[in-house]
Amino acid sequence: MKSYNVCLKDKVKTFTKRLFYSLFDCEEEVAHSKYLEKTFVKILARLDVENAEDIWKNYKSSLPEIRAKLDLDATAFENNDPASHSLEEIYLAYPGFHAISIHRLSHALYKLGVPILPRMMSEYIHGITGIDIHPGATIDESFYIDHGTGIVIGETSIIGKHVKIYQGVTLGGISVAKNLASTKRHPTINDNVCIYANATILGGDIVIGANSIIGANVWITQSVPENSLVTYQTEIKIRPKKNGIR
């Protein structure tokens, strides 16, 4: 019977937390850095990945750029959410920002070809926030998630600048054969698109044009031109109660 390194889940959980802290905790940067490099090399050794030290050097060099993108994300939260009172509140208390942070960190590892670890990082934050972003998804700057619970963003999704997504949104794929796994299976969302709660957008050839608004609860399997408003309409009737009817 083959043995699997399931105990790595705890190590990756702590590594991911400390990696997130390292981006913003300047006073503890040296301590974080020593721990992170040592732990990263150990994790990759357990995953049978060679040249872990070189991969860490390349990855570490990308962290300032990731921090810069996250600062733009935090500003997008502050500009879009009337319930926010300060940038500090966003960094410390917003699950959507936390999910985006771990995604940007895991995505950089995904691009370096590191196996399994990026997905473990994304599943760690998925369990905390209820936001499921595959590390392969490409997300440009100033990304804003409001509430966030139930959001699913698939591996080959592409999201442009200044996109806003609300809770329950799915950017998914229509079922394809396993041998087509390397094809683009998830939609492309262009710049300045707003997608409201529980909208579902499916398919790798689907493009949502720039500056469009996708209303709540819509189901989309065809592309949408730029500057569009897509809504789902249902009829709601409000009538006075009759005697004896509750």
Side-chain angles (χ1 to χ4, degrees), residues 69 100 102-108 110-111 118-119 122 132-140 143 151-160 165 171 184-187:
K69 285 186 176 180
I100 294 167
I102 303 305
H103 170 72
R104 295 205 185 280
L105 289 167
S106 65
H107 181 68
Y110 179 93
K111 290 196 298 181
R119 189 63 185 271
S122 69
D132 183 2
I133 309 176
H134 193 285
T138 301
I139 302 176
D140 213 324
F143 184 49
I151 284 176
V152 177
I153 299 176
E155 179 181 18
T156 60
S157 299
I158 298 175
I159 298 175
I165 293 183
L171 304 182
K184 189 176 186 305
R185 309 182 307 281
H186 306 94

PDB file of all heavy atoms in Angstrom, residues 69 100 102-108 110-111 118-119 122 132-140 143 151-160 165 171 184-187:
ATOM      1  N   LYS A  69       0.910  44.427  -6.222  1.00  0.00           N
ATOM      2  CA  LYS A  69      -0.419  44.113  -6.752  1.00  0.00           C
ATOM      3  C   LYS A  69      -1.459  44.054  -5.635  1.00  0.00           C
ATOM      4  O   LYS A  69      -2.601  44.507  -5.797  1.00  0.00           O
ATOM      5  CB  LYS A  69      -0.393  42.796  -7.515  1.00  0.00           C
ATOM      6  CG  LYS A  69       0.259  42.880  -8.885  1.00  0.00           C
ATOM      7  CD  LYS A  69       0.119  41.566  -9.644  1.00  0.00           C
ATOM      8  CE  LYS A  69       0.684  41.682 -11.052  1.00  0.00           C
ATOM      9  NZ  LYS A  69       0.548  40.413 -11.811  1.00  0.00           N
ATOM     10  N   ILE A 100      -7.475  36.668  -2.079  1.00  0.00           N
ATOM     11  CA  ILE A 100      -6.712  37.184  -3.219  1.00  0.00           C
ATOM     12  C   ILE A 100      -5.215  37.113  -2.922  1.00  0.00           C
ATOM     13  O   ILE A 100      -4.404  36.771  -3.790  1.00  0.00           O
ATOM     14  CB  ILE A 100      -7.135  38.630  -3.540  1.00  0.00           C
ATOM     15  CG1 ILE A 100      -8.579  38.678  -4.021  1.00  0.00           C
ATOM     16  CG2 ILE A 100      -6.209  39.232  -4.594  1.00  0.00           C
ATOM     17  CD1 ILE A 100      -9.156  40.078  -4.048  1.00  0.00           C
ATOM     18  N   ILE A 102      -3.507  35.000  -0.949  1.00  0.00           N
ATOM     19  CA  ILE A 102      -2.992  33.643  -1.070  1.00  0.00           C
ATOM     20  C   ILE A 102      -3.017  33.190  -2.526  1.00  0.00           C
ATOM     21  O   ILE A 102      -2.126  32.468  -2.982  1.00  0.00           O
ATOM     22  CB  ILE A 102      -3.781  32.671  -0.178  1.00  0.00           C
ATOM     23  CG1 ILE A 102      -3.746  33.137   1.280  1.00  0.00           C
ATOM     24  CG2 ILE A 102      -3.229  31.255  -0.307  1.00  0.00           C
ATOM     25  CD1 ILE A 102      -2.362  33.353   1.848  1.00  0.00           C
ATOM     26  N   HIS A 103      -4.023  33.652  -3.278  1.00  0.00           N
ATOM     27  CA  HIS A 103      -4.032  33.296  -4.704  1.00  0.00           C
ATOM     28  C   HIS A 103      -2.808  33.850  -5.412  1.00  0.00           C
ATOM     29  O   HIS A 103      -2.140  33.130  -6.182  1.00  0.00           O
ATOM     30  CB  HIS A 103      -5.276  33.807  -5.416  1.00  0.00           C
ATOM     31  CG  HIS A 103      -5.157  33.640  -6.901  1.00  0.00           C
ATOM     32  ND1 HIS A 103      -5.221  32.409  -7.520  1.00  0.00           N
ATOM     33  CD2 HIS A 103      -4.877  34.538  -7.890  1.00  0.00           C
ATOM     34  CE1 HIS A 103      -5.023  32.551  -8.817  1.00  0.00           C
ATOM     35  NE2 HIS A 103      -4.803  33.832  -9.060  1.00  0.00           N
ATOM     36  N   ARG A 104      -2.494  35.099  -5.199  1.00  0.00           N
ATOM     37  CA  ARG A 104      -1.346  35.687  -5.902  1.00  0.00           C
ATOM     38  C   ARG A 104      -0.050  34.969  -5.495  1.00  0.00           C
ATOM     39  O   ARG A 104       0.844  34.774  -6.338  1.00  0.00           O
ATOM     40  CB  ARG A 104      -1.274  37.179  -5.623  1.00  0.00           C
ATOM     41  CG  ARG A 104      -2.461  37.970  -6.190  1.00  0.00           C
ATOM     42  CD  ARG A 104      -2.126  39.415  -6.462  1.00  0.00           C
ATOM     43  NE  ARG A 104      -3.276  40.192  -6.887  1.00  0.00           N
ATOM     44  CZ  ARG A 104      -3.773  40.196  -8.122  1.00  0.00           C
ATOM     45  NH1 ARG A 104      -3.236  39.434  -9.052  1.00  0.00           N
ATOM     46  NH2 ARG A 104      -4.817  40.956  -8.427  1.00  0.00           N
ATOM     47  N   LEU A 105       0.049  34.564  -4.250  1.00  0.00           N
ATOM     48  CA  LEU A 105       1.226  33.827  -3.798  1.00  0.00           C
ATOM     49  C   LEU A 105       1.283  32.429  -4.422  1.00  0.00           C
ATOM     50  O   LEU A 105       2.347  31.969  -4.846  1.00  0.00           O
ATOM     51  CB  LEU A 105       1.214  33.726  -2.273  1.00  0.00           C
ATOM     52  CG  LEU A 105       1.488  35.029  -1.525  1.00  0.00           C
ATOM     53  CD1 LEU A 105       1.128  34.881  -0.050  1.00  0.00           C
ATOM     54  CD2 LEU A 105       2.944  35.456  -1.684  1.00  0.00           C
ATOM     55  N   SER A 106       0.161  31.745  -4.476  1.00  0.00           N
ATOM     56  CA  SER A 106       0.147  30.395  -5.042  1.00  0.00           C
ATOM     57  C   SER A 106       0.289  30.432  -6.562  1.00  0.00           C
ATOM     58  O   SER A 106       0.913  29.538  -7.163  1.00  0.00           O
ATOM     59  CB  SER A 106      -1.140  29.657  -4.647  1.00  0.00           C
ATOM     60  OG  SER A 106      -2.283  30.271  -5.203  1.00  0.00           O
ATOM     61  N   HIS A 107      -0.259  31.460  -7.200  1.00  0.00           N
ATOM     62  CA  HIS A 107      -0.174  31.572  -8.659  1.00  0.00           C
ATOM     63  C   HIS A 107       1.275  31.714  -9.119  1.00  0.00           C
ATOM     64  O   HIS A 107       1.675  31.150 -10.151  1.00  0.00           O
ATOM     65  CB  HIS A 107      -1.002  32.770  -9.135  1.00  0.00           C
ATOM     66  CG  HIS A 107      -0.993  32.961 -10.625  1.00  0.00           C
ATOM     67  ND1 HIS A 107      -1.593  32.082 -11.498  1.00  0.00           N
ATOM     68  CD2 HIS A 107      -0.461  33.949 -11.399  1.00  0.00           C
ATOM     69  CE1 HIS A 107      -1.434  32.509 -12.737  1.00  0.00           C
ATOM     70  NE2 HIS A 107      -0.746  33.628 -12.704  1.00  0.00           N
ATOM     71  N   ALA A 108       2.071  32.464  -8.355  1.00  0.00           N
ATOM     72  CA  ALA A 108       3.485  32.635  -8.710  1.00  0.00           C
ATOM     73  C   ALA A 108       4.219  31.293  -8.669  1.00  0.00           C
ATOM     74  O   ALA A 108       5.065  31.007  -9.523  1.00  0.00           O
ATOM     75  CB  ALA A 108       4.151  33.645  -7.778  1.00  0.00           C
ATOM     76  N   TYR A 110       2.706  28.376  -9.095  1.00  0.00           N
ATOM     77  CA  TYR A 110       2.114  27.629 -10.209  1.00  0.00           C
ATOM     78  C   TYR A 110       2.859  27.945 -11.511  1.00  0.00           C
ATOM     79  O   TYR A 110       3.179  27.044 -12.294  1.00  0.00           O
ATOM     80  CB  TYR A 110       0.642  27.998 -10.321  1.00  0.00           C
ATOM     81  CG  TYR A 110      -0.118  27.330 -11.435  1.00  0.00           C
ATOM     82  CD1 TYR A 110      -0.809  26.145 -11.221  1.00  0.00           C
ATOM     83  CD2 TYR A 110      -0.191  27.907 -12.700  1.00  0.00           C
ATOM     84  CE1 TYR A 110      -1.537  25.534 -12.241  1.00  0.00           C
ATOM     85  CE2 TYR A 110      -0.905  27.310 -13.724  1.00  0.00           C
ATOM     86  CZ  TYR A 110      -1.580  26.131 -13.486  1.00  0.00           C
ATOM     87  OH  TYR A 110      -2.291  25.542 -14.499  1.00  0.00           O
ATOM     88  N   LYS A 111       3.166  29.213 -11.729  1.00  0.00           N
ATOM     89  CA  LYS A 111       3.865  29.611 -12.955  1.00  0.00           C
ATOM     90  C   LYS A 111       5.302  29.089 -12.987  1.00  0.00           C
ATOM     91  O   LYS A 111       5.861  28.899 -14.072  1.00  0.00           O
ATOM     92  CB  LYS A 111       3.866  31.138 -13.088  1.00  0.00           C
ATOM     93  CG  LYS A 111       2.501  31.726 -13.391  1.00  0.00           C
ATOM     94  CD  LYS A 111       2.587  33.154 -13.887  1.00  0.00           C
ATOM     95  CE  LYS A 111       3.197  34.072 -12.862  1.00  0.00           C
ATOM     96  NZ  LYS A 111       3.253  35.478 -13.335  1.00  0.00           N
ATOM     97  N   PRO A 118       1.052  24.708  -4.731  1.00  0.00           N
ATOM     98  CA  PRO A 118       0.121  25.815  -4.971  1.00  0.00           C
ATOM     99  C   PRO A 118      -1.332  25.428  -4.707  1.00  0.00           C
ATOM    100  O   PRO A 118      -2.096  26.221  -4.143  1.00  0.00           O
ATOM    101  CB  PRO A 118       0.346  26.154  -6.454  1.00  0.00           C
ATOM    102  CG  PRO A 118       1.722  25.680  -6.745  1.00  0.00           C
ATOM    103  CD  PRO A 118       1.907  24.450  -5.914  1.00  0.00           C
ATOM    104  N   ARG A 119      -1.709  24.218  -5.072  1.00  0.00           N
ATOM    105  CA  ARG A 119      -3.088  23.768  -4.855  1.00  0.00           C
ATOM    106  C   ARG A 119      -3.372  23.577  -3.367  1.00  0.00           C
ATOM    107  O   ARG A 119      -4.472  23.876  -2.887  1.00  0.00           O
ATOM    108  CB  ARG A 119      -3.341  22.470  -5.622  1.00  0.00           C
ATOM    109  CG  ARG A 119      -4.809  22.036  -5.626  1.00  0.00           C
ATOM    110  CD  ARG A 119      -5.689  23.070  -6.345  1.00  0.00           C
ATOM    111  NE  ARG A 119      -7.087  22.729  -6.258  1.00  0.00           N
ATOM    112  CZ  ARG A 119      -7.726  21.960  -7.137  1.00  0.00           C
ATOM    113  NH1 ARG A 119      -7.077  21.436  -8.165  1.00  0.00           N
ATOM    114  NH2 ARG A 119      -9.005  21.714  -6.997  1.00  0.00           N
ATOM    115  N   SER A 122      -4.055  26.986  -2.004  1.00  0.00           N
ATOM    116  CA  SER A 122      -5.374  27.502  -2.379  1.00  0.00           C
ATOM    117  C   SER A 122      -6.477  26.794  -1.606  1.00  0.00           C
ATOM    118  O   SER A 122      -7.486  27.411  -1.239  1.00  0.00           O
ATOM    119  CB  SER A 122      -5.602  27.371  -3.886  1.00  0.00           C
ATOM    120  OG  SER A 122      -5.747  26.014  -4.284  1.00  0.00           O
ATOM    121  N   ASP A 132     -12.983  29.773  -3.542  1.00  0.00           N
ATOM    122  CA  ASP A 132     -12.209  28.726  -4.206  1.00  0.00           C
ATOM    123  C   ASP A 132     -11.623  29.285  -5.501  1.00  0.00           C
ATOM    124  O   ASP A 132     -12.311  29.356  -6.518  1.00  0.00           O
ATOM    125  CB  ASP A 132     -13.121  27.525  -4.487  1.00  0.00           C
ATOM    126  CG  ASP A 132     -12.391  26.353  -5.113  1.00  0.00           C
ATOM    127  OD1 ASP A 132     -11.166  26.456  -5.297  1.00  0.00           O
ATOM    128  OD2 ASP A 132     -13.053  25.351  -5.419  1.00  0.00           O
ATOM    129  N   ILE A 133     -10.349  29.674  -5.453  1.00  0.00           N
ATOM    130  CA  ILE A 133      -9.664  30.192  -6.637  1.00  0.00           C
ATOM    131  C   ILE A 133      -8.529  29.240  -6.974  1.00  0.00           C
ATOM    132  O   ILE A 133      -7.602  29.067  -6.186  1.00  0.00           O
ATOM    133  CB  ILE A 133      -9.093  31.606  -6.410  1.00  0.00           C
ATOM    134  CG1 ILE A 133     -10.147  32.556  -5.853  1.00  0.00           C
ATOM    135  CG2 ILE A 133      -8.524  32.150  -7.719  1.00  0.00           C
ATOM    136  CD1 ILE A 133      -9.622  33.947  -5.528  1.00  0.00           C
ATOM    137  N   HIS A 134      -8.597  28.613  -8.130  1.00  0.00           N
ATOM    138  CA  HIS A 134      -7.523  27.706  -8.539  1.00  0.00           C
ATOM    139  C   HIS A 134      -6.245  28.518  -8.757  1.00  0.00           C
ATOM    140  O   HIS A 134      -6.293  29.614  -9.324  1.00  0.00           O
ATOM    141  CB  HIS A 134      -7.907  26.973  -9.824  1.00  0.00           C
ATOM    142  CG  HIS A 134      -7.011  25.825 -10.136  1.00  0.00           C
ATOM    143  ND1 HIS A 134      -5.736  25.993 -10.626  1.00  0.00           N
ATOM    144  CD2 HIS A 134      -7.200  24.485 -10.021  1.00  0.00           C
ATOM    145  CE1 HIS A 134      -5.174  24.812 -10.806  1.00  0.00           C
ATOM    146  NE2 HIS A 134      -6.043  23.871 -10.448  1.00  0.00           N
ATOM    147  N   PRO A 135      -5.093  28.005  -8.317  1.00  0.00           N
ATOM    148  CA  PRO A 135      -3.854  28.781  -8.472  1.00  0.00           C
ATOM    149  C   PRO A 135      -3.476  29.062  -9.917  1.00  0.00           C
ATOM    150  O   PRO A 135      -2.680  29.967 -10.187  1.00  0.00           O
ATOM    151  CB  PRO A 135      -2.798  27.897  -7.784  1.00  0.00           C
ATOM    152  CG  PRO A 135      -3.390  26.546  -7.707  1.00  0.00           C
ATOM    153  CD  PRO A 135      -4.868  26.746  -7.583  1.00  0.00           C
ATOM    154  N   GLY A 136      -4.053  28.316 -10.862  1.00  0.00           N
ATOM    155  CA  GLY A 136      -3.752  28.580 -12.264  1.00  0.00           C
ATOM    156  C   GLY A 136      -4.474  29.786 -12.843  1.00  0.00           C
ATOM    157  O   GLY A 136      -4.082  30.296 -13.900  1.00  0.00           O
ATOM    158  N   ALA A 137      -5.514  30.267 -12.192  1.00  0.00           N
ATOM    159  CA  ALA A 137      -6.285  31.398 -12.719  1.00  0.00           C
ATOM    160  C   ALA A 137      -5.409  32.645 -12.809  1.00  0.00           C
ATOM    161  O   ALA A 137      -4.627  32.942 -11.905  1.00  0.00           O
ATOM    162  CB  ALA A 137      -7.488  31.666 -11.830  1.00  0.00           C
ATOM    163  N   THR A 138      -5.563  33.382 -13.913  1.00  0.00           N
ATOM    164  CA  THR A 138      -4.788  34.603 -14.129  1.00  0.00           C
ATOM    165  C   THR A 138      -5.653  35.807 -13.793  1.00  0.00           C
ATOM    166  O   THR A 138      -6.697  36.027 -14.422  1.00  0.00           O
ATOM    167  CB  THR A 138      -4.323  34.688 -15.595  1.00  0.00           C
ATOM    168  OG1 THR A 138      -3.521  33.541 -15.899  1.00  0.00           O
ATOM    169  CG2 THR A 138      -3.509  35.950 -15.839  1.00  0.00           C
ATOM    170  N   ILE A 139      -5.221  36.591 -12.789  1.00  0.00           N
ATOM    171  CA  ILE A 139      -6.025  37.712 -12.298  1.00  0.00           C
ATOM    172  C   ILE A 139      -5.170  38.972 -12.316  1.00  0.00           C
ATOM    173  O   ILE A 139      -4.128  39.045 -11.658  1.00  0.00           O
ATOM    174  CB  ILE A 139      -6.556  37.437 -10.880  1.00  0.00           C
ATOM    175  CG1 ILE A 139      -7.400  36.157 -10.874  1.00  0.00           C
ATOM    176  CG2 ILE A 139      -7.364  38.623 -10.377  1.00  0.00           C
ATOM    177  CD1 ILE A 139      -7.900  35.757  -9.498  1.00  0.00           C
ATOM    178  N   ASP A 140      -5.632  39.977 -13.040  1.00  0.00           N
ATOM    179  CA  ASP A 140      -4.887  41.230 -13.163  1.00  0.00           C
ATOM    180  C   ASP A 140      -5.121  42.109 -11.934  1.00  0.00           C
ATOM    181  O   ASP A 140      -5.788  41.716 -10.979  1.00  0.00           O
ATOM    182  CB  ASP A 140      -5.288  41.941 -14.455  1.00  0.00           C
ATOM    183  CG  ASP A 140      -4.131  42.718 -15.078  1.00  0.00           C
ATOM    184  OD1 ASP A 140      -3.317  43.284 -14.314  1.00  0.00           O
ATOM    185  OD2 ASP A 140      -4.039  42.773 -16.319  1.00  0.00           O
ATOM    186  N   PHE A 143      -8.315  43.804  -8.200  1.00  0.00           N
ATOM    187  CA  PHE A 143      -9.403  42.833  -8.162  1.00  0.00           C
ATOM    188  C   PHE A 143     -10.152  42.976  -6.844  1.00  0.00           C
ATOM    189  O   PHE A 143      -9.548  43.042  -5.780  1.00  0.00           O
ATOM    190  CB  PHE A 143      -8.815  41.427  -8.290  1.00  0.00           C
ATOM    191  CG  PHE A 143      -9.831  40.319  -8.362  1.00  0.00           C
ATOM    192  CD1 PHE A 143     -10.907  40.390  -9.229  1.00  0.00           C
ATOM    193  CD2 PHE A 143      -9.685  39.179  -7.581  1.00  0.00           C
ATOM    194  CE1 PHE A 143     -11.832  39.356  -9.318  1.00  0.00           C
ATOM    195  CE2 PHE A 143     -10.585  38.132  -7.657  1.00  0.00           C
ATOM    196  CZ  PHE A 143     -11.668  38.227  -8.523  1.00  0.00           C
ATOM    197  N   ILE A 151     -17.679  31.726  -3.974  1.00  0.00           N
ATOM    198  CA  ILE A 151     -17.068  32.037  -5.265  1.00  0.00           C
ATOM    199  C   ILE A 151     -16.179  30.875  -5.719  1.00  0.00           C
ATOM    200  O   ILE A 151     -15.436  30.307  -4.924  1.00  0.00           O
ATOM    201  CB  ILE A 151     -16.233  33.329  -5.180  1.00  0.00           C
ATOM    202  CG1 ILE A 151     -17.156  34.554  -5.172  1.00  0.00           C
ATOM    203  CG2 ILE A 151     -15.239  33.445  -6.335  1.00  0.00           C
ATOM    204  CD1 ILE A 151     -16.436  35.875  -4.984  1.00  0.00           C
ATOM    205  N   VAL A 152     -16.288  30.518  -7.014  1.00  0.00           N
ATOM    206  CA  VAL A 152     -15.442  29.487  -7.619  1.00  0.00           C
ATOM    207  C   VAL A 152     -14.842  30.064  -8.899  1.00  0.00           C
ATOM    208  O   VAL A 152     -15.585  30.503  -9.790  1.00  0.00           O
ATOM    209  CB  VAL A 152     -16.240  28.211  -7.941  1.00  0.00           C
ATOM    210  CG1 VAL A 152     -15.346  27.184  -8.635  1.00  0.00           C
ATOM    211  CG2 VAL A 152     -16.852  27.614  -6.680  1.00  0.00           C
ATOM    212  N   ILE A 153     -13.516  30.054  -8.989  1.00  0.00           N
ATOM    213  CA  ILE A 153     -12.811  30.559 -10.166  1.00  0.00           C
ATOM    214  C   ILE A 153     -11.886  29.450 -10.661  1.00  0.00           C
ATOM    215  O   ILE A 153     -10.944  29.049  -9.975  1.00  0.00           O
ATOM    216  CB  ILE A 153     -12.009  31.830  -9.843  1.00  0.00           C
ATOM    217  CG1 ILE A 153     -12.958  32.937  -9.358  1.00  0.00           C
ATOM    218  CG2 ILE A 153     -11.223  32.296 -11.066  1.00  0.00           C
ATOM    219  CD1 ILE A 153     -12.259  34.210  -8.924  1.00  0.00           C
ATOM    220  N   GLY A 154     -12.158  28.942 -11.869  1.00  0.00           N
ATOM    221  CA  GLY A 154     -11.461  27.777 -12.384  1.00  0.00           C
ATOM    222  C   GLY A 154     -10.059  28.060 -12.890  1.00  0.00           C
ATOM    223  O   GLY A 154      -9.653  29.212 -13.085  1.00  0.00           O
ATOM    224  N   GLU A 155      -9.348  26.985 -13.146  1.00  0.00           N
ATOM    225  CA  GLU A 155      -7.915  27.019 -13.438  1.00  0.00           C
ATOM    226  C   GLU A 155      -7.533  27.908 -14.613  1.00  0.00           C
ATOM    227  O   GLU A 155      -6.524  28.627 -14.563  1.00  0.00           O
ATOM    228  CB  GLU A 155      -7.436  25.593 -13.716  1.00  0.00           C
ATOM    229  CG  GLU A 155      -5.969  25.482 -14.046  1.00  0.00           C
ATOM    230  CD  GLU A 155      -5.541  24.064 -14.348  1.00  0.00           C
ATOM    231  OE1 GLU A 155      -6.422  23.216 -14.635  1.00  0.00           O
ATOM    232  OE2 GLU A 155      -4.326  23.794 -14.312  1.00  0.00           O
ATOM    233  N   THR A 156      -8.279  27.877 -15.697  1.00  0.00           N
ATOM    234  CA  THR A 156      -7.882  28.613 -16.901  1.00  0.00           C
ATOM    235  C   THR A 156      -8.652  29.925 -17.064  1.00  0.00           C
ATOM    236  O   THR A 156      -8.643  30.523 -18.139  1.00  0.00           O
ATOM    237  CB  THR A 156      -8.067  27.735 -18.152  1.00  0.00           C
ATOM    238  OG1 THR A 156      -9.443  27.353 -18.275  1.00  0.00           O
ATOM    239  CG2 THR A 156      -7.203  26.489 -18.073  1.00  0.00           C
ATOM    240  N   SER A 157      -9.296  30.372 -15.999  1.00  0.00           N
ATOM    241  CA  SER A 157      -9.970  31.674 -16.032  1.00  0.00           C
ATOM    242  C   SER A 157      -8.947  32.784 -16.223  1.00  0.00           C
ATOM    243  O   SER A 157      -7.821  32.717 -15.712  1.00  0.00           O
ATOM    244  CB  SER A 157     -10.734  31.922 -14.727  1.00  0.00           C
ATOM    245  OG  SER A 157     -11.726  30.950 -14.510  1.00  0.00           O
ATOM    246  N   ILE A 158      -9.364  33.819 -16.954  1.00  0.00           N
ATOM    247  CA  ILE A 158      -8.539  35.024 -17.119  1.00  0.00           C
ATOM    248  C   ILE A 158      -9.396  36.216 -16.724  1.00  0.00           C
ATOM    249  O   ILE A 158     -10.495  36.403 -17.261  1.00  0.00           O
ATOM    250  CB  ILE A 158      -8.039  35.176 -18.565  1.00  0.00           C
ATOM    251  CG1 ILE A 158      -7.151  33.986 -18.953  1.00  0.00           C
ATOM    252  CG2 ILE A 158      -7.280  36.479 -18.735  1.00  0.00           C
ATOM    253  CD1 ILE A 158      -6.721  33.988 -20.405  1.00  0.00           C
ATOM    254  N   ILE A 159      -8.903  37.020 -15.786  1.00  0.00           N
ATOM    255  CA  ILE A 159      -9.656  38.152 -15.263  1.00  0.00           C
ATOM    256  C   ILE A 159      -8.825  39.414 -15.449  1.00  0.00           C
ATOM    257  O   ILE A 159      -7.650  39.469 -15.057  1.00  0.00           O
ATOM    258  CB  ILE A 159      -9.994  37.941 -13.770  1.00  0.00           C
ATOM    259  CG1 ILE A 159     -10.889  36.707 -13.606  1.00  0.00           C
ATOM    260  CG2 ILE A 159     -10.668  39.170 -13.179  1.00  0.00           C
ATOM    261  CD1 ILE A 159     -11.185  36.352 -12.164  1.00  0.00           C
ATOM    262  N   GLY A 160      -9.439  40.433 -16.043  1.00  0.00           N
ATOM    263  CA  GLY A 160      -8.733  41.672 -16.337  1.00  0.00           C
ATOM    264  C   GLY A 160      -8.645  42.622 -15.153  1.00  0.00           C
ATOM    265  O   GLY A 160      -8.873  42.250 -13.997  1.00  0.00           O
ATOM    266  N   ILE A 165     -16.387  41.100  -8.211  1.00  0.00           N
ATOM    267  CA  ILE A 165     -17.140  39.847  -8.157  1.00  0.00           C
ATOM    268  C   ILE A 165     -17.780  39.707  -6.771  1.00  0.00           C
ATOM    269  O   ILE A 165     -17.122  39.936  -5.757  1.00  0.00           O
ATOM    270  CB  ILE A 165     -16.233  38.636  -8.449  1.00  0.00           C
ATOM    271  CG1 ILE A 165     -15.761  38.671  -9.905  1.00  0.00           C
ATOM    272  CG2 ILE A 165     -16.957  37.334  -8.172  1.00  0.00           C
ATOM    273  CD1 ILE A 165     -14.913  37.481 -10.297  1.00  0.00           C
ATOM    274  N   LEU A 171     -17.012  30.973 -12.102  1.00  0.00           N
ATOM    275  CA  LEU A 171     -16.358  31.033 -13.418  1.00  0.00           C
ATOM    276  C   LEU A 171     -15.865  29.622 -13.684  1.00  0.00           C
ATOM    277  O   LEU A 171     -14.783  29.218 -13.235  1.00  0.00           O
ATOM    278  CB  LEU A 171     -15.198  32.037 -13.407  1.00  0.00           C
ATOM    279  CG  LEU A 171     -15.537  33.468 -12.978  1.00  0.00           C
ATOM    280  CD1 LEU A 171     -14.300  34.354 -13.075  1.00  0.00           C
ATOM    281  CD2 LEU A 171     -16.680  34.040 -13.811  1.00  0.00           C
ATOM    282  N   LYS A 184      -8.120  25.585 -22.727  1.00  0.00           N
ATOM    283  CA  LYS A 184      -8.773  26.621 -21.922  1.00  0.00           C
ATOM    284  C   LYS A 184     -10.238  26.233 -21.702  1.00  0.00           C
ATOM    285  O   LYS A 184     -11.001  26.128 -22.645  1.00  0.00           O
ATOM    286  CB  LYS A 184      -8.688  27.985 -22.611  1.00  0.00           C
ATOM    287  CG  LYS A 184      -9.152  29.127 -21.711  1.00  0.00           C
ATOM    288  CD  LYS A 184      -8.958  30.479 -22.383  1.00  0.00           C
ATOM    289  CE  LYS A 184      -9.295  31.613 -21.412  1.00  0.00           C
ATOM    290  NZ  LYS A 184     -10.634  31.528 -20.830  1.00  0.00           N
ATOM    291  N   ARG A 185     -10.604  26.044 -20.447  1.00  0.00           N
ATOM    292  CA  ARG A 185     -11.923  25.517 -20.107  1.00  0.00           C
ATOM    293  C   ARG A 185     -12.808  26.532 -19.393  1.00  0.00           C
ATOM    294  O   ARG A 185     -13.990  26.283 -19.191  1.00  0.00           O
ATOM    295  CB  ARG A 185     -11.774  24.277 -19.210  1.00  0.00           C
ATOM    296  CG  ARG A 185     -10.832  23.242 -19.764  1.00  0.00           C
ATOM    297  CD  ARG A 185     -10.730  22.003 -18.894  1.00  0.00           C
ATOM    298  NE  ARG A 185     -10.419  22.281 -17.498  1.00  0.00           N
ATOM    299  CZ  ARG A 185      -9.204  22.570 -17.041  1.00  0.00           C
ATOM    300  NH1 ARG A 185      -8.178  22.650 -17.876  1.00  0.00           N
ATOM    301  NH2 ARG A 185      -9.007  22.765 -15.761  1.00  0.00           N
ATOM    302  N   HIS A 186     -12.230  27.656 -19.008  1.00  0.00           N
ATOM    303  CA  HIS A 186     -12.945  28.614 -18.170  1.00  0.00           C
ATOM    304  C   HIS A 186     -12.970  29.989 -18.841  1.00  0.00           C
ATOM    305  O   HIS A 186     -12.138  30.287 -19.695  1.00  0.00           O
ATOM    306  CB  HIS A 186     -12.280  28.700 -16.794  1.00  0.00           C
ATOM    307  CG  HIS A 186     -12.147  27.359 -16.122  1.00  0.00           C
ATOM    308  ND1 HIS A 186     -10.989  26.595 -16.219  1.00  0.00           N
ATOM    309  CD2 HIS A 186     -13.017  26.644 -15.390  1.00  0.00           C
ATOM    310  CE1 HIS A 186     -11.162  25.467 -15.548  1.00  0.00           C
ATOM    311  NE2 HIS A 186     -12.383  25.466 -15.043  1.00  0.00           N
ATOM    312  N   PRO A 187     -13.901  30.849 -18.458  1.00  0.00           N
ATOM    313  CA  PRO A 187     -14.129  32.091 -19.206  1.00  0.00           C
ATOM    314  C   PRO A 187     -13.049  33.154 -19.016  1.00  0.00           C
ATOM    315  O   PRO A 187     -12.225  33.085 -18.103  1.00  0.00           O
ATOM    316  CB  PRO A 187     -15.480  32.579 -18.664  1.00  0.00           C
ATOM    317  CG  PRO A 187     -15.642  31.916 -17.350  1.00  0.00           C
ATOM    318  CD  PRO A 187     -14.911  30.625 -17.411  1.00  0.00           C
TER     319      PRO A 187
END
